[in-house]
Amino acid sequence: MQADITTINDLSIFHHDEEQSVFHHINFTRTVGGKEWLKFFFEKPLQNLKQIIETQQTIQHIIHIHSQWPETITNGTIMVIEKFYETQLAEIPPYPNGLAALSYRFFNASDYSLIKYSEVHFISFIKGLHQIIQLLAYENIPSILQVMTDRISMLLSKSEIKNVLNKKENKNLFLVEALSFGYFIRRHFKNEAEDLIEIYSKLDAYYSMATACINYHFIFPEFIDDEKPMLAAQQLYHPLLPTPVSYNTELTQGKNFLFLTGANMAGKSTFIKAVGVAAYLAHTGMGVPAQSMTLTFFEGLHSNIQVVDNIVKGESFFFNEVQRIRKTIEKISNAKKWLILIDELFKGTNVEDAMKCSTTVIEGLLKMPNALFILSTHLYEIGEALKQYSNIQFYYFETKVKDDQLLFSFHLKEGISNDRLGYLILKREGVVDMLNKL
């Protein structure tokens, strides 16, 4: 699935403020390398249905054995191993006898200490990997995990490694044995160790995705292999909200356009982003924040939510809104399935102009059955004229006023809202009183 940087930013997949970052919310990795792999997975949604299904199966497989996942491999373990290969050491004798080993320890005491310390972490690492492949090695293992476990097994098959794996858990290597093993891993196992670290980092990323699905009770969406676009979700919610309100929504080719109205702060933007985040997570192979979700594979996800002006280029807010809409039309003209999210179209011009521009754009987009659209607007007046189109559905977020206080239910209701509560919000926040006292 394609998703440009604007869409990724609009949905806060990544954000410098961790509380607003979907990635941070999902990140349960234990290593720096695992975090980098997880970031890679989130930067690049999967490109076909086969990849998505395989990734879902991989995460589900790890969920089954999640509680038994070894905790012996930490970021510190990886750092010690990497430091061991980067540090200059006195040459280790290849076949040390007792005298040569004693001599090395005496004349190179600090180097010997580093070798012993590194070996403790190295042994924990390979034993942790061995435990992982034993956990994963049962019938119907997903192909992604099969490739990684086969590679780990092959790399751990060398006799020097097997000898260490066969030792009792807490038995240390003695002097000669320690130097022999140190020489082997330094001179004959560096590439293999780097390969194993990379494989574990990738496993760490999948483990993080599995952990997130468990902790947040995410469900795995069902993908339908169909040429016609569709997305249906029950009890869908935004994963970053501490006490979210859930939504039910359905978009099909016959009803592919959702026209959304409601007052400021009523929940329009949150709903749009909730749908977008769920669709994005689904296309990474992740579980999603919903009770159930069914959708087709989408060629792309494209948003128009947080458009800004560009002072350096001399481009106005309205101009960039127009350019974003133009890019949207260009992308979805390829007859592939797209999910398009638009929040408050044409905020950068006057109301009359915005109404004319919005109506023109919506009527044009309604001609494109290959895409699903969710569009929010304050311009409820244009809704009446759009009712002539059979493929548009109208929903709104209700707002009630009691004793000059706003009451938001955050529930979707069928119809069009004509609420205009901007002045009431201005008054409620004390701005009107402040101005009157000037």
Side-chain angles (χ1 to χ4, degrees), residues 255-273:
K255 290 285 186 181
N256 69 323
F257 202 109
L258 195 157
F259 184 88
L260 185 63
T261 52
N264 285 320
M265 305 194 310
K268 301 190 302 297
S269 297
T270 300
F271 168 71
I272 290 174
K273 291 178 181 179

PDB file of all heavy atoms in Angstrom, residues 255-273:
ATOM      1  N   LYS A 255     -21.773   2.486  -1.783  1.00  0.00           N
ATOM      2  CA  LYS A 255     -21.847   3.593  -0.828  1.00  0.00           C
ATOM      3  C   LYS A 255     -20.428   3.962  -0.439  1.00  0.00           C
ATOM      4  O   LYS A 255     -19.981   3.736   0.676  1.00  0.00           O
ATOM      5  CB  LYS A 255     -22.647   3.167   0.408  1.00  0.00           C
ATOM      6  CG  LYS A 255     -24.134   2.979   0.173  1.00  0.00           C
ATOM      7  CD  LYS A 255     -24.851   4.333   0.039  1.00  0.00           C
ATOM      8  CE  LYS A 255     -26.363   4.145  -0.048  1.00  0.00           C
ATOM      9  NZ  LYS A 255     -27.068   5.439  -0.207  1.00  0.00           N
ATOM     10  N   ASN A 256     -19.724   4.566  -1.389  1.00  0.00           N
ATOM     11  CA  ASN A 256     -18.284   4.740  -1.221  1.00  0.00           C
ATOM     12  C   ASN A 256     -17.877   6.112  -0.705  1.00  0.00           C
ATOM     13  O   ASN A 256     -16.685   6.406  -0.584  1.00  0.00           O
ATOM     14  CB  ASN A 256     -17.554   4.469  -2.538  1.00  0.00           C
ATOM     15  CG  ASN A 256     -17.821   5.516  -3.596  1.00  0.00           C
ATOM     16  OD1 ASN A 256     -18.951   6.016  -3.696  1.00  0.00           O
ATOM     17  ND2 ASN A 256     -16.817   5.859  -4.385  1.00  0.00           N
ATOM     18  N   PHE A 257     -18.851   6.972  -0.395  1.00  0.00           N
ATOM     19  CA  PHE A 257     -18.519   8.334   0.032  1.00  0.00           C
ATOM     20  C   PHE A 257     -19.269   8.656   1.320  1.00  0.00           C
ATOM     21  O   PHE A 257     -20.490   8.628   1.368  1.00  0.00           O
ATOM     22  CB  PHE A 257     -18.914   9.340  -1.054  1.00  0.00           C
ATOM     23  CG  PHE A 257     -18.174  10.651  -0.962  1.00  0.00           C
ATOM     24  CD1 PHE A 257     -17.215  10.995  -1.900  1.00  0.00           C
ATOM     25  CD2 PHE A 257     -18.441  11.545   0.063  1.00  0.00           C
ATOM     26  CE1 PHE A 257     -16.527  12.202  -1.820  1.00  0.00           C
ATOM     27  CE2 PHE A 257     -17.766  12.749   0.153  1.00  0.00           C
ATOM     28  CZ  PHE A 257     -16.800  13.076  -0.786  1.00  0.00           C
ATOM     29  N   LEU A 258     -18.500   8.955   2.389  1.00  0.00           N
ATOM     30  CA  LEU A 258     -19.104   9.330   3.663  1.00  0.00           C
ATOM     31  C   LEU A 258     -18.931  10.839   3.856  1.00  0.00           C
ATOM     32  O   LEU A 258     -17.805  11.342   3.956  1.00  0.00           O
ATOM     33  CB  LEU A 258     -18.460   8.560   4.812  1.00  0.00           C
ATOM     34  CG  LEU A 258     -19.197   8.551   6.156  1.00  0.00           C
ATOM     35  CD1 LEU A 258     -18.758   7.338   6.982  1.00  0.00           C
ATOM     36  CD2 LEU A 258     -18.962   9.814   6.951  1.00  0.00           C
ATOM     37  N   PHE A 259     -20.037  11.555   3.901  1.00  0.00           N
ATOM     38  CA  PHE A 259     -20.068  13.007   4.076  1.00  0.00           C
ATOM     39  C   PHE A 259     -20.315  13.275   5.557  1.00  0.00           C
ATOM     40  O   PHE A 259     -21.376  12.980   6.091  1.00  0.00           O
ATOM     41  CB  PHE A 259     -21.184  13.598   3.208  1.00  0.00           C
ATOM     42  CG  PHE A 259     -21.272  15.097   3.209  1.00  0.00           C
ATOM     43  CD1 PHE A 259     -20.540  15.843   2.300  1.00  0.00           C
ATOM     44  CD2 PHE A 259     -22.112  15.758   4.097  1.00  0.00           C
ATOM     45  CE1 PHE A 259     -20.642  17.237   2.281  1.00  0.00           C
ATOM     46  CE2 PHE A 259     -22.228  17.142   4.093  1.00  0.00           C
ATOM     47  CZ  PHE A 259     -21.491  17.877   3.177  1.00  0.00           C
ATOM     48  N   LEU A 260     -19.308  13.834   6.227  1.00  0.00           N
ATOM     49  CA  LEU A 260     -19.312  13.929   7.681  1.00  0.00           C
ATOM     50  C   LEU A 260     -19.403  15.380   8.140  1.00  0.00           C
ATOM     51  O   LEU A 260     -18.623  16.230   7.711  1.00  0.00           O
ATOM     52  CB  LEU A 260     -18.018  13.300   8.225  1.00  0.00           C
ATOM     53  CG  LEU A 260     -17.850  13.166   9.733  1.00  0.00           C
ATOM     54  CD1 LEU A 260     -18.904  12.237  10.320  1.00  0.00           C
ATOM     55  CD2 LEU A 260     -16.449  12.635  10.039  1.00  0.00           C
ATOM     56  N   THR A 261     -20.378  15.682   9.001  1.00  0.00           N
ATOM     57  CA  THR A 261     -20.534  17.036   9.535  1.00  0.00           C
ATOM     58  C   THR A 261     -20.569  16.985  11.067  1.00  0.00           C
ATOM     59  O   THR A 261     -20.668  15.923  11.670  1.00  0.00           O
ATOM     60  CB  THR A 261     -21.826  17.697   9.019  1.00  0.00           C
ATOM     61  OG1 THR A 261     -22.935  16.822   9.261  1.00  0.00           O
ATOM     62  CG2 THR A 261     -21.727  17.990   7.528  1.00  0.00           C
ATOM     63  N   GLY A 262     -20.516  18.161  11.658  1.00  0.00           N
ATOM     64  CA  GLY A 262     -20.522  18.276  13.117  1.00  0.00           C
ATOM     65  C   GLY A 262     -19.740  19.492  13.543  1.00  0.00           C
ATOM     66  O   GLY A 262     -18.941  20.047  12.778  1.00  0.00           O
ATOM     67  N   ALA A 263     -19.969  19.922  14.779  1.00  0.00           N
ATOM     68  CA  ALA A 263     -19.316  21.124  15.288  1.00  0.00           C
ATOM     69  C   ALA A 263     -17.838  20.874  15.570  1.00  0.00           C
ATOM     70  O   ALA A 263     -17.366  19.730  15.563  1.00  0.00           O
ATOM     71  CB  ALA A 263     -20.014  21.569  16.568  1.00  0.00           C
ATOM     72  N   ASN A 264     -17.101  21.965  15.812  1.00  0.00           N
ATOM     73  CA  ASN A 264     -15.717  21.837  16.256  1.00  0.00           C
ATOM     74  C   ASN A 264     -15.657  21.007  17.535  1.00  0.00           C
ATOM     75  O   ASN A 264     -16.501  21.144  18.417  1.00  0.00           O
ATOM     76  CB  ASN A 264     -15.126  23.230  16.545  1.00  0.00           C
ATOM     77  CG  ASN A 264     -14.814  23.983  15.270  1.00  0.00           C
ATOM     78  OD1 ASN A 264     -14.334  23.418  14.303  1.00  0.00           O
ATOM     79  ND2 ASN A 264     -15.093  25.284  15.263  1.00  0.00           N
ATOM     80  N   MET A 265     -14.650  20.158  17.634  1.00  0.00           N
ATOM     81  CA  MET A 265     -14.392  19.306  18.801  1.00  0.00           C
ATOM     82  C   MET A 265     -15.409  18.189  18.973  1.00  0.00           C
ATOM     83  O   MET A 265     -15.411  17.496  19.988  1.00  0.00           O
ATOM     84  CB  MET A 265     -14.322  20.134  20.101  1.00  0.00           C
ATOM     85  CG  MET A 265     -13.304  21.253  20.043  1.00  0.00           C
ATOM     86  SD  MET A 265     -12.905  21.982  21.651  1.00  0.00           S
ATOM     87  CE  MET A 265     -14.521  22.327  22.326  1.00  0.00           C
ATOM     88  N   ALA A 266     -16.309  18.016  18.005  1.00  0.00           N
ATOM     89  CA  ALA A 266     -17.337  16.981  18.138  1.00  0.00           C
ATOM     90  C   ALA A 266     -16.790  15.587  17.865  1.00  0.00           C
ATOM     91  O   ALA A 266     -17.399  14.592  18.262  1.00  0.00           O
ATOM     92  CB  ALA A 266     -18.504  17.273  17.199  1.00  0.00           C
ATOM     93  N   GLY A 267     -15.647  15.480  17.158  1.00  0.00           N
ATOM     94  CA  GLY A 267     -15.042  14.166  16.938  1.00  0.00           C
ATOM     95  C   GLY A 267     -14.779  13.804  15.495  1.00  0.00           C
ATOM     96  O   GLY A 267     -14.364  12.681  15.206  1.00  0.00           O
ATOM     97  N   LYS A 268     -14.992  14.748  14.565  1.00  0.00           N
ATOM     98  CA  LYS A 268     -14.834  14.422  13.135  1.00  0.00           C
ATOM     99  C   LYS A 268     -13.403  14.000  12.810  1.00  0.00           C
ATOM    100  O   LYS A 268     -13.173  12.960  12.181  1.00  0.00           O
ATOM    101  CB  LYS A 268     -15.231  15.635  12.263  1.00  0.00           C
ATOM    102  CG  LYS A 268     -16.656  16.109  12.446  1.00  0.00           C
ATOM    103  CD  LYS A 268     -17.054  17.137  11.399  1.00  0.00           C
ATOM    104  CE  LYS A 268     -16.174  18.371  11.387  1.00  0.00           C
ATOM    105  NZ  LYS A 268     -16.248  19.138  12.655  1.00  0.00           N
ATOM    106  N   SER A 269     -12.431  14.816  13.229  1.00  0.00           N
ATOM    107  CA  SER A 269     -11.032  14.520  12.901  1.00  0.00           C
ATOM    108  C   SER A 269     -10.570  13.223  13.543  1.00  0.00           C
ATOM    109  O   SER A 269      -9.838  12.432  12.926  1.00  0.00           O
ATOM    110  CB  SER A 269     -10.133  15.674  13.348  1.00  0.00           C
ATOM    111  OG  SER A 269     -10.447  16.858  12.664  1.00  0.00           O
ATOM    112  N   THR A 270     -10.993  12.993  14.782  1.00  0.00           N
ATOM    113  CA  THR A 270     -10.601  11.761  15.477  1.00  0.00           C
ATOM    114  C   THR A 270     -11.137  10.535  14.752  1.00  0.00           C
ATOM    115  O   THR A 270     -10.427   9.530  14.591  1.00  0.00           O
ATOM    116  CB  THR A 270     -11.110  11.778  16.925  1.00  0.00           C
ATOM    117  OG1 THR A 270     -10.550  12.912  17.599  1.00  0.00           O
ATOM    118  CG2 THR A 270     -10.709  10.510  17.662  1.00  0.00           C
ATOM    119  N   PHE A 271     -12.386  10.613  14.297  1.00  0.00           N
ATOM    120  CA  PHE A 271     -12.971   9.490  13.564  1.00  0.00           C
ATOM    121  C   PHE A 271     -12.201   9.223  12.272  1.00  0.00           C
ATOM    122  O   PHE A 271     -11.861   8.066  11.963  1.00  0.00           O
ATOM    123  CB  PHE A 271     -14.436   9.783  13.245  1.00  0.00           C
ATOM    124  CG  PHE A 271     -15.040   8.832  12.247  1.00  0.00           C
ATOM    125  CD1 PHE A 271     -15.314   7.519  12.602  1.00  0.00           C
ATOM    126  CD2 PHE A 271     -15.309   9.247  10.953  1.00  0.00           C
ATOM    127  CE1 PHE A 271     -15.859   6.632  11.682  1.00  0.00           C
ATOM    128  CE2 PHE A 271     -15.859   8.368  10.021  1.00  0.00           C
ATOM    129  CZ  PHE A 271     -16.129   7.059  10.392  1.00  0.00           C
ATOM    130  N   ILE A 272     -11.928  10.271  11.512  1.00  0.00           N
ATOM    131  CA  ILE A 272     -11.208  10.110  10.247  1.00  0.00           C
ATOM    132  C   ILE A 272      -9.839   9.479  10.488  1.00  0.00           C
ATOM    133  O   ILE A 272      -9.415   8.545   9.788  1.00  0.00           O
ATOM    134  CB  ILE A 272     -11.065  11.466   9.527  1.00  0.00           C
ATOM    135  CG1 ILE A 272     -12.430  11.920   9.002  1.00  0.00           C
ATOM    136  CG2 ILE A 272     -10.065  11.384   8.384  1.00  0.00           C
ATOM    137  CD1 ILE A 272     -12.421  13.313   8.396  1.00  0.00           C
ATOM    138  N   LYS A 273      -9.137   9.968  11.510  1.00  0.00           N
ATOM    139  CA  LYS A 273      -7.808   9.429  11.804  1.00  0.00           C
ATOM    140  C   LYS A 273      -7.893   7.996  12.329  1.00  0.00           C
ATOM    141  O   LYS A 273      -7.007   7.180  12.045  1.00  0.00           O
ATOM    142  CB  LYS A 273      -7.094  10.326  12.809  1.00  0.00           C
ATOM    143  CG  LYS A 273      -6.707  11.688  12.232  1.00  0.00           C
ATOM    144  CD  LYS A 273      -6.051  12.579  13.278  1.00  0.00           C
ATOM    145  CE  LYS A 273      -5.698  13.937  12.687  1.00  0.00           C
ATOM    146  NZ  LYS A 273      -5.070  14.833  13.683  1.00  0.00           N
TER     147      LYS A 273
END
